[in-house]
Amino acid sequence: MIPEHTTQPDFDAVIDRRSQRATKWLEVEQLATSGSEKVIPLWIADMEFTSPQPVLAAIRDALDHGVLGYSEWPADFAQVFCQWQASRHQWSINPEWLLSCQSVITALDVIIRAYSEPDDEVIVLSPGFGTFNRVINHTGRNVVEVPLVENGLQYQLDVALIEAKLTPRSRMLILCNPHNPIGKVWKVEELTQIAELCQRHGLLLISDDVHQELILGNTRYTPVAALDERYADFTITFTSPCKTFNLSGLPVAQLVVKNTEIREKLRHELYQLSVHQPDILAIAACDAAYRHGEKWLEALLPYLRENYALLDNALQPMRSVSLFKLEGTYLAWLDFRNSGLNPSELEHKLLNEAGVKLNNGLKFSAAGAGFMRLNFALPRAELVKVIERLQRCFI
């Protein structure tokens, strides 16, 4: 029996993750400032909060049973998932369109290999999630970066820039919605422009929507495949509960693929590589999250909004750092270009003087030079420490 939440989640609780060999914390274990302050890790994209109690209970149930063998999805999971998407995003999905995979990145690798050839081109928008580029290069395909256009403290889409980069070897475009690292939630008109371009040029549209629940601003999240059946016919959408419910250590992904020919080929490829089925604990966690995690999520979102507002208000008076407008995710995009520091000097100052480890913007393409990505999904008292350190070291 999986319990519902009976108490408000305590996002203010400071949890020691070092004993669990957490990647984020191991990275800074031996690091300290010149004043002997321990470095606070704000780089990798997981949260410093406990996952929903119903999810933890489902995992405990699986462990208490004692046999951790091969496992299948509950018979009604597809309906549960589709109901979640319909309720939260007004996205009507046929359960038959669903495929599962062990992770989003694994699925991306399989798709690129299945629907392109070596030396073909994959379009990405930059600054963008660096792992996309890594996977594209690993498969022997070519990354084609198209810059998003800065407009004040936010970015805009310029479809003409994408079109100018297309060649006869262009095969697919990867969209990230909300977009990592800049926190942009794509507007309907922007999604329409992207989809129309893909349709005109016969591009497969891959939409990474793993942050779909983490909407903090006023722009509503819309799946591009929900806009028009024509768009859904050449779109593969990734979703996952991992970012939303802090389950990144139990990777799992759902792929929504309306086109029967694309879906069945992808199903075959996933099966041949034995990556079509997550493990027993990931299945239990994912199922419980979509069935019982909504109350926890509704408590999380205002907490993240308040953290973002606190960070925004604190940085506004500072001349050497600016916070770009964020609409989704819990990843702030900080502009340090006015600091006069080059990327390596900036990273050194943040680590050794401020005592914070952020993601260097260069990890998200050359367009990220002078930027840093900061994960603000942590207890508010810890975020206050981070802000105080930034204020101490930057004017």
Side-chain angles (χ1 to χ4, degrees):
M1 182 69 178
I2 306 300
E4 294 285 352
H5 271 296
T6 56
T7 59
Q8 186 78 355
D10 185 6
F11 298 119
D12 286 323
V14 178
I15 301 164
D16 182 1
R17 298 181 61 199
R18 295 176 181 86
S19 63
Q20 298 303 308
R21 301 175 301 284
T23 302
K24 180 189 291 183
W25 288 91
L26 283 177
E27 185 77 9
V28 301
E29 189 173 27
Q30 304 301 322
L31 300 179
T33 67
S34 54
S36 300
E37 292 174 313
K38 289 288 189 181
V39 172
I40 301 173
L42 306 159
W43 59 288
I44 204 167
D46 62 14
M47 297 188 277
E48 297 296 295
F49 309 134
T50 57
S51 298
Q53 289 303 317
V55 173
L56 300 179
I59 295 170
R60 290 189 192 100
D61 282 352
L63 293 173
D64 289 344
H65 182 271
V67 180
L68 301 178
Y70 297 115
S71 182
E72 301 294 325
W73 290 96
D76 64 341
F77 172 76
Q79 286 76 17
V80 169
F81 174 85
C82 291
Q83 178 56 42
W84 176 275
Q85 297 295 335
S87 173
R88 293 197 68 87
H89 308 303
Q90 291 70 59
W91 187 13
S92 179
I93 300 172
N94 186 322
E96 294 180 358
W97 300 352
L98 293 187
L99 297 173
S100 292
C101 185
Q102 291 179 355
S103 79
V104 166
I105 300 306
T106 301
L108 178 63
D109 186 295
V110 173
I111 290 167
I112 291 172
R113 294 176 190 275
Y115 296 102
S116 66
E117 299 294 333
D119 289 328
D120 280 346
E121 297 168 349
V122 181
I123 312 299
V124 298
L125 303 176
S126 69
F129 185 39
T131 302
F132 292 161
N133 294 18
R134 188 187 76 204
V135 174
I136 295 166
N137 288 325
H138 175 69
T139 62
R141 279 64 172 173
N142 295 318
V143 177
V144 177
E145 291 188 357
V146 179
L148 295 167
V149 179
E150 283 189 48
N151 179 19
L153 294 177
Q154 55 188 334
Y155 289 87
Q156 291 182 332
L157 175 73
D158 187 335
V159 172
L161 291 179
I162 303 176
E163 205 140 23
K165 292 270 193 173
L166 298 181
T167 77
R169 303 291 316 238
S170 302
R171 295 291 178 264
M172 59 189 71
L173 183 151
I174 302 178
L175 177 70
C176 193
N177 187 24
H179 190 90
N180 178 11
I182 63 175
K184 179 179 177 64
V185 178
W186 297 96
K187 297 179 175 64
V188 167
E189 53 268 30
E190 294 172 315
L191 294 171
T192 301
Q193 291 178 57
I194 291 170
E196 290 286 343
L197 177 141
C198 289
Q199 186 173 46
R200 283 197 305 274
H201 295 278
L203 302 179
L204 184 65
L205 179 54
I206 302 172
S207 191
D208 175 3
D209 293 21
V210 298
H211 292 97
Q212 65 177 169
E213 318 301 344
L214 299 168
I215 307 304
L216 307 186
N218 296 322
T219 303
R220 182 174 177 174
Y221 159 78
T222 303
V224 65
L227 291 176
D228 192 300
E229 287 191 2
R230 293 177 300 139
Y231 305 158
D233 211 43
F234 54 81
T235 299
I236 299 173
T237 306
F238 299 149
T239 71
S240 173
C242 291
K243 297 302 181 187
T244 300
F245 299 103
N246 209 23
L247 302 170
S248 293
L250 288 174
V252 58
Q254 275 75 44
L255 283 61
V256 182
V257 192
K258 176 180 178 289
N259 185 296
T260 302
E261 183 179 347
I262 294 174
R263 184 174 66 251
E264 292 310 312
K265 181 177 181 179
L266 185 52
R267 187 195 308 276
H268 174 77
E269 296 295 330
L270 294 170
Y271 178 80
Q272 291 301 317
L273 293 171
S274 297
V275 295
H276 62 295
Q277 192 75 317
D279 68 45
I280 185 172
L281 298 184
I283 288 175
C286 179
D287 180 64
Y290 286 125
R291 289 181 194 271
H292 306 295
E294 192 161 31
K295 289 183 180 179
W296 183 91
L297 175 60
E298 290 303 320
L300 171 72
L301 292 174
Y303 194 91
L304 291 177
R305 291 187 185 107
E306 290 169 20
N307 270 9
Y308 173 68
L310 179 65
L311 182 63
D312 187 26
N313 290 334
L315 296 183
Q316 280 190 17
M318 299 171 65
R319 298 191 302 275
S320 58
V321 55
S322 300
L323 175 61
F324 267 48
K325 179 182 177 183
L326 178 139
E327 299 167 322
T329 80
Y330 46 77
L331 305 167
W333 190 235
L334 302 184
D335 181 0
F336 287 90
R337 287 175 295 181
N338 285 338
S339 69
L341 302 172
N342 66 39
S344 60
E345 291 170 337
L346 175 60
E347 191 166 27
H348 184 272
K349 185 179 181 72
L350 285 165
L351 271 176
N352 294 280
E353 296 183 33
V356 292
K357 179 174 175 56
L358 282 61
N359 279 117
N360 194 316
L362 287 174
K363 294 183 180 295
F364 306 98
S365 83
F371 288 85
M372 288 280 170
R373 192 189 74 172
L374 183 153
N375 178 345
F376 59 85
L378 70 165
R380 191 151 303 134
E382 295 299 296
L383 181 59
V384 168
K385 291 180 186 177
V386 170
I387 290 170
E388 289 172 347
R389 293 183 181 197
L390 292 173
Q391 290 172 329
R392 183 183 71 203
C393 295
F394 295 89
I395 59 172

